[in-house]
Amino acid sequence: MSAHAARADHVGIPIFDPAAAAVMPIDDLAINAASADDDESAPLLGAAPSSHSIIATARRELIGLSFMALSALLFSLMSVLVKISGQRFPFLEIVLVRSIVQFSLGVGGCVYVGVKPWGPAGFNKLWLIARGTAGATGLGLYFYTIVNMPLGDGMTIFFTGPAFTSILARITLGEPLTPLDIAATLACLCGVALVSRPEFIFHDHANANHAIAPPAPPTNPLAALAALTGAIMSAIAYCLVRKIGSRAHYMVHVTYFGAMSTLISGVALFVFEGDLVVPFYDWTIAECGVLLAVGVSAFIAQCFLNAGLQMSHAGPATLMRNLDIVFAFVFGQLFFHETPRVTSIVGAAIILASTASVALFKWWTHKRRA
């Protein structure tokens, strides 16, 4: 382990040791879904500590939950910056710049902590590519949603992801699917309907959903569908993180996310805009600063998210991620004067309650078995 890695480990940040990974048996074709790393209710890094280290375990859990809360705050701030940028730039340009910044910082972060950006030797990189692709697709859909929907509504629909995770975890990881999981998923879909207010149900227009001060984002009937699809892609990415487990440092996840996002957004920009040249020369210093802040805030949020997932149990960690929804409504009101309707508040409450109940139930079940 390098000196940088040792220093990061000293302050409580989980560090992946390539030397340890070299002797870890890895099946590139089928990673055992029943292993401790793939248990959705277990931390991703290492086995549970012995009885004499309860204080250390509690401290580790607290740090992990703090990381998750910070990631929620930073993701919400990033969403505010994306929405501001969307008034000037096409969303694909925002995604591309954000991706380039994240990839560059990810490679630098890997060098700093002493791990290989492309992942540990002997590990099938297709898992990391798939994780990065799923996350990148979800990112593009999420940015499209934020630009074309009120902030609180878009983020609320996007964060139905944990409900879909239970179903996907059953299919891909063989984890049990309980009646509570099914009920929570159905409840989340009802919450999405209340937030998005589809015209064929409510017989009104999407732009009547909020009182938004000009300049308002253009009404787009595909925005809610994009948010829902992005939520499913985030669930796929989460299951892939569980599948990979502690075999790859969280900074490697961040790097692959940035790399695949850069590739996908670049191709999409060429297909839909007909040009890969981003007109940097037309941007003001303030516009460059906002786009750079999008990438930096997203990178730091990704670091906190992946580290938090590896340090804390999935149940409480999911609850911390739901803070995004709360921050979104607060920031939407503060920065964009988006006053939510009663249906949006009720739908958000249903989604919050559904994801929270599933998370707490799985955490409680794991505690009983321990």
Side-chain angles (χ1 to χ4, degrees):
M1 184 181 298
S2 69
H4 291 308
R7 181 166 61 256
D9 187 59
H10 179 70
V11 296
I13 299 176
I15 292 300
F16 179 84
D17 189 347
V23 297
M24 182 185 299
I26 299 176
D27 184 352
D28 288 341
L29 298 178
I31 301 176
N32 184 7
S35 68
D37 282 329
D38 295 335
D39 183 358
E40 189 177 350
S41 62
L44 290 182
L45 285 184
S50 59
S51 58
H52 67 272
S53 59
I54 296 178
I55 295 178
T57 302
R59 178 177 178 272
R60 177 189 181 87
E61 181 84 4
L62 179 61
I63 292 174
L65 294 178
S66 299
F67 283 175
M68 296 297 292
L70 285 171
S71 74
L73 176 61
L74 287 168
F75 274 126
S76 299
L77 289 174
M78 180 204 72
S79 299
V80 171
L81 295 170
V82 169
K83 197 169 184 68
I84 293 173
S85 302
Q87 298 173 4
R88 165 67 173 84
F89 304 103
F91 85 96
L92 284 175
E93 285 188 11
I94 303 173
V95 175
L96 180 59
V97 173
R98 185 257 199 209
S99 304
I100 293 173
V101 172
Q102 177 169 331
F103 174 70
S104 301
L105 293 175
V107 172
C110 286
V111 173
Y112 178 79
V113 299
V115 298
K116 298 176 180 178
W118 53 88
F123 182 66
N124 190 343
K125 307 304 188 296
L126 290 178
W127 291 114
L128 292 167
I129 293 174
R131 183 264 183 271
T133 302
T137 305
L139 171 72
L141 293 170
Y142 176 62
F143 277 28
Y144 178 82
T145 299
I146 292 302
V147 171
N148 292 283
M149 280 189 73
L151 186 63
D153 285 4
M155 289 187 68
T156 297
I157 298 175
F158 184 78
F159 278 93
T160 56
F164 296 110
T165 300
S166 299
I167 297 176
L168 292 174
R170 171 61 181 175
I171 297 173
T172 60
L173 302 178
E175 296 180 2
L177 182 65
T178 66
L180 178 61
D181 295 325
I182 299 174
T185 302
L186 295 176
C188 279
L189 292 177
C190 292
V192 168
L194 288 172
V195 172
S196 60
R197 292 180 65 88
E199 188 176 351
F200 70 91
I201 296 178
F202 292 91
H203 305 291
D204 60 7
H205 295 287
N207 59 2
N209 199 21
H210 287 251
I212 307 177
T219 300
N220 190 325
L222 296 178
L225 179 61
L228 192 61
T229 307
I232 295 174
M233 296 306 298
S234 72
I236 293 174
Y238 181 84
C239 288
L240 287 168
V241 170
R242 304 298 307 177
K243 191 82 170 178
I244 295 169
S246 61
R247 296 171 178 86
H249 190 277
Y250 69 87
M251 196 64 72
V252 175
H253 285 275
V254 173
T255 303
Y256 270 85
F257 189 114
M260 297 309 302
S261 184
T262 300
L263 177 62
I264 293 174
S265 59
V267 172
L269 189 64
F270 178 77
V271 171
F272 294 106
E273 302 293 336
D275 195 355
L276 269 177
V277 178
V278 178
F280 298 100
Y281 48 84
D282 284 340
W283 298 351
T284 66
I285 295 177
E287 290 170 345
C288 291
V290 171
L291 288 178
L292 181 62
V294 169
V296 173
S297 61
F299 169 75
I300 299 174
Q302 278 285 331
C303 291
F304 279 130
L305 171 62
N306 285 283
L309 283 173
Q310 289 184 324
M311 296 180 72
S312 60
H313 291 85
T318 302
L319 296 181
M320 293 297 103
R321 288 294 290 134
N322 283 336
L323 288 174
D324 286 76
I325 298 176
V326 178
F327 290 138
F329 279 109
V330 172
F331 291 156
Q333 178 65 51
L334 287 177
F335 293 101
F336 308 107
H337 308 290
E338 297 172 348
T339 303
R341 293 184 62 169
V342 174
T343 51
S344 292
I345 296 175
V346 173
I350 291 174
I351 292 171
L352 279 168
S354 301
T355 55
S357 61
V358 171
L360 287 175
F361 177 76
K362 290 191 175 184
W363 185 41
W364 177 73
T365 303
H366 173 72
K367 290 292 186 182
R368 288 189 61 188
R369 292 174 179 173

